[in-house]
Amino acid sequence: MGVRTLLSRRFICAPREIPSHGLINLSDESRFLQISGKDASTFINGLTTIKMIPQYIKKNQTTISQADLNNENIVKSITLTDNEITNTNWGIIHEDEHIDLKDELYGVDRIGIRRDGVFGHMLRSNGRVLTDLFVYPFPYHPGKDDSSPSYLIEILNKEQFKPLQMMLKLHKLRSAIEIKEVEMSSWFYYNTTQRGQQDLEYINECLLSNRISKNPEDARIITSQVLEHLSAKYGFKSDLIHAFAVDQRQYGFGMRIITPPSCKLNDFEVLAYDSYLTHRIQNGVVEVSDFRRTATLPFECNLDWMCGINYDKGCYMGQELTIRTFTGNGTTRRVLNVIFDIPIMDISDAFERIELRAIEGNFSDTPVKKEPVFNPFVSSSSSAPVQSRRDMNKVGEILLNNGVEGLARIEKRYFDWDTELSKKVNIVHKGKTYTGTIETRFA
């Protein structure tokens, strides 16, 4: 079993430099499910961190909080009936939690109904991440006679596709939905030039504006405008675009386009998948697959920084631990960028785990002594205080790298991302010690 796993694993080297713009086929790394039916919106809402319905009812509610009042005000700013939610292919909720609804100038931009996809996580019951995903209204431009909502789920962590399918079947129960696997091609387009960034901002801020899309009909109109723009500007064939999203995990990151399998989107040269890895590294965008088989939590993956969670959406799988982390002391680890002072030449795999250790004089943490606990079944001498076996100088590990930069899980006890902008760290690889700088790419 172990030999088979070793032989089947691919070793990928991410390039140190990539073109300023390009089209990348991600079909080998993604899997797709279609969920359709009258209960599709509420079903997905209960299993992901994405807000799929505008309002929810708290069971046994005896008080009304300010958050409840704010949620009511949010709902009033859009036009969507219960009948539309269950009996039409209405679209999806887009809500920007960074905008205060009380803001007279920009409050109207907080929430809208659109047809472009939304990023989020699906969690396990213990709050650990099962997979990261995109949820797209499907198809992108629906027919007028569509009688129920339909969504395309793009699973980014393909290793968890089968477990996810099993979990969905377990939770389906009597929900009026149909779940089926579908074959699709996933494309990612990025452009880091000034002109490319300006056009992406135009699509995101002007064409896909919550201000002008407050009901399902508005969503259809701006969908047509987006398709026309993609065809005129990039030569993308509109009839092949079955789903679309501006990837908002990082500002100016790129666009995701879903087409039927084996279709040619335009005449652009298609870059290799490893270019996508380097683009993610450069933008600080982590995916759950970077952790391989290591369990992780949503905030460790920067879910909140990447606009993938809504805090007022009601109950969902894994919510309890997630909200407790959010309202408590927060996460103790996050994935941040580490820039190598000099390139490390002998890295054979982009996903090779590389240890990070504290630089002497940069770190004041000391080993924690455990308090003795009385045990009537052993001698008193065995209850003496002992030092923690934890290696206190190890402060993180690099998950993904291209030889000059990497994405690393960093402990807050060494680098406080709330107060620090950068910090030096030791990088230990094959018995050699290098130095690098920890940075965060999120404002």
Side-chain angles (χ1 to χ4, degrees):
M1 185 69 178
V3 174
R4 185 181 302 173
T5 302
L6 180 63
L7 293 175
S8 64
R9 183 186 167 202
R10 291 192 303 159
F11 290 88
I12 302 174
C13 288
R16 296 174 184 174
E17 296 182 359
I18 57 175
S20 61
H21 62 279
L23 184 68
I24 305 170
N25 192 335
L26 303 179
S27 302
D28 290 339
E29 306 302 320
S30 297
R31 296 293 182 270
F32 293 91
L33 289 173
Q34 182 182 353
I35 300 179
S36 55
K38 295 181 182 297
D39 297 333
S41 302
T42 53
F43 181 76
I44 299 172
N45 188 78
L47 290 175
T48 69
T49 60
I50 300 170
K51 185 173 184 175
M52 297 292 299
I53 52 178
Q55 58 187 341
Y56 64 95
I57 299 174
K58 292 182 178 179
K59 294 182 179 179
N60 303 323
Q61 184 174 14
T62 57
T63 60
I64 299 176
S65 66
Q66 186 60 45
D68 297 324
L69 295 176
N70 290 341
N71 193 53
E72 285 295 322
N73 293 331
I74 290 170
V75 172
K76 291 177 182 177
S77 68
I78 59 176
T79 305
L80 184 66
T81 66
D82 292 339
N83 180 65
E84 288 176 317
I85 291 175
T86 57
N87 295 313
T88 66
N89 194 343
W90 59 275
I92 197 169
I93 297 289
H94 276 262
E95 184 173 353
D96 187 348
E97 295 202 354
H98 297 99
I99 298 177
D100 187 351
L101 193 67
K102 298 177 182 178
D103 189 323
E104 295 182 359
L105 184 60
Y106 296 106
V108 69
D109 295 324
R110 178 176 172 110
I111 192 170
I113 298 173
R114 306 198 323 235
R115 298 202 62 81
D116 51 304
V118 179
F119 170 74
H121 277 179
M122 185 173 290
L123 310 180
R124 302 180 188 274
S125 58
N126 61 3
R128 268 56 177 177
V129 181
L130 177 63
T131 185
D132 36 12
L133 48 79
F134 278 84
V135 178
Y136 307 91
F138 183 75
Y140 187 44
H141 200 298
K144 294 262 187 184
D145 57 345
D146 287 356
S147 58
S148 63
S150 179
Y151 298 96
L152 189 67
I153 314 296
E154 181 181 7
I155 295 95
L156 305 189
N157 186 6
K158 65 178 182 180
E159 301 298 328
Q160 295 298 328
F161 181 63
K162 292 300 180 183
L164 184 142
Q165 279 185 305
M166 293 179 60
M167 191 179 78
L168 293 180
K169 290 179 180 178
L170 287 173
H171 286 84
K172 181 177 181 287
L173 300 177
R174 297 183 179 180
S175 298
I177 59 170
E178 179 184 3
I179 305 172
K180 63 180 180 180
E181 182 179 356
V182 292
E183 292 290 332
M184 289 286 172
S185 289
S186 177
W187 301 87
F188 179 80
Y189 177 78
Y190 73 95
N191 192 329
T192 58
T193 65
Q194 182 179 1
R195 183 171 295 181
Q197 291 291 293
Q198 288 174 345
D199 187 68
L200 189 61
E201 183 177 3
Y202 169 72
I203 294 174
N204 198 38
E205 302 294 337
C206 297
L207 296 181
L208 297 175
S209 171
N210 286 339
R211 182 182 292 263
I212 60 174
S213 190
K214 296 296 184 181
N215 57 63
E217 186 57 35
D218 290 342
R220 292 173 187 267
I221 293 173
I222 66 172
T223 295
S224 298
Q225 295 173 348
V226 170
L227 289 173
E228 291 174 4
H229 180 80
L230 294 176
S231 177
K233 182 74 176 180
Y234 302 100
F236 296 157
K237 300 173 183 178
S238 300
D239 58 325
L240 297 180
I241 301 178
H242 285 197
F244 171 80
V246 173
D247 196 330
Q248 297 191 31
R249 291 180 289 177
Q250 177 64 286
Y251 181 79
F253 187 54
M255 300 181 290
R256 303 184 78 92
I257 302 162
I258 310 302
T259 69
S262 304
C263 284
K264 188 176 181 181
L265 193 57
N266 60 11
D267 295 328
F268 288 3
E269 179 184 357
V270 179
L271 302 180
Y273 170 70
D274 55 16
S275 298
Y276 177 68
L277 298 180
T278 295
H279 187 61
R280 286 206 292 112
I281 293 171
Q282 292 173 347
N283 286 271
V285 174
V286 63
E287 293 185 355
V288 177
S289 57
D290 298 341
F291 292 84
R292 295 307 189 190
R293 297 180 181 273
T294 305
T296 183
L297 295 166
F299 294 118
E300 289 182 4
C301 301
N302 303 330
L303 180 65
D304 50 339
W305 289 358
M306 296 193 296
C307 307
I309 186 170
N310 186 285
Y311 300 109
D312 296 316
K313 67 182 293 289
C315 295
Y316 56 92
M317 178 78 76
Q319 178 206 23
E320 183 177 355
L321 179 61
T322 304
I323 296 302
R324 195 160 63 231
T325 303
F326 172 68
T327 57
N329 295 325
T331 182
T332 58
R333 294 182 292 187
R334 281 192 184 273
V335 174
L336 305 172
N337 283 79
V338 175
I339 303 171
F340 306 165
D341 288 350
I342 60 172
I344 301 178
M345 308 301 295
D346 57 345
I347 296 177
S348 59
D349 184 12
F351 293 97
E352 183 178 345
R353 296 294 179 91
I354 302 175
E355 187 177 281
L356 298 180
R357 299 186 70 82
I359 292 180
E360 188 176 353
N362 260 9
F363 194 33
S364 60
D365 206 354
T366 55
V368 178
K369 289 188 176 181
K370 296 181 179 179
E371 292 296 327
V373 178
F374 175 73
N375 187 342
F377 302 102
V378 297
S379 63
S380 58
S381 60
S382 62
S383 297
V386 294
Q387 285 193 343
S388 171
R389 293 182 180 179
R390 180 181 182 184
D391 185 351
M392 302 304 291
N393 282 324
K394 182 180 178 181
V395 295
E397 62 179 351
I398 295 175
L399 307 173
L400 173 66
N401 79 92
N402 62 356
V404 295
E405 187 177 359
L407 296 177
R409 180 160 59 174
I410 306 291
E411 297 188 19
K412 193 172 187 178
R413 64 189 178 90
Y414 183 72
F415 179 79
D416 189 345
W417 45 81
D418 293 327
T419 59
E420 296 179 280
L421 297 177
S422 63
K423 194 169 192 176
K424 286 292 185 179
V425 68
N426 282 330
I427 305 168
V428 181
H429 180 252
K430 293 183 178 179
K432 296 180 181 179
T433 301
Y434 305 83
T435 56
T437 305
I438 303 172
E439 291 184 355
T440 175
R441 301 289 163 85
F442 294 89

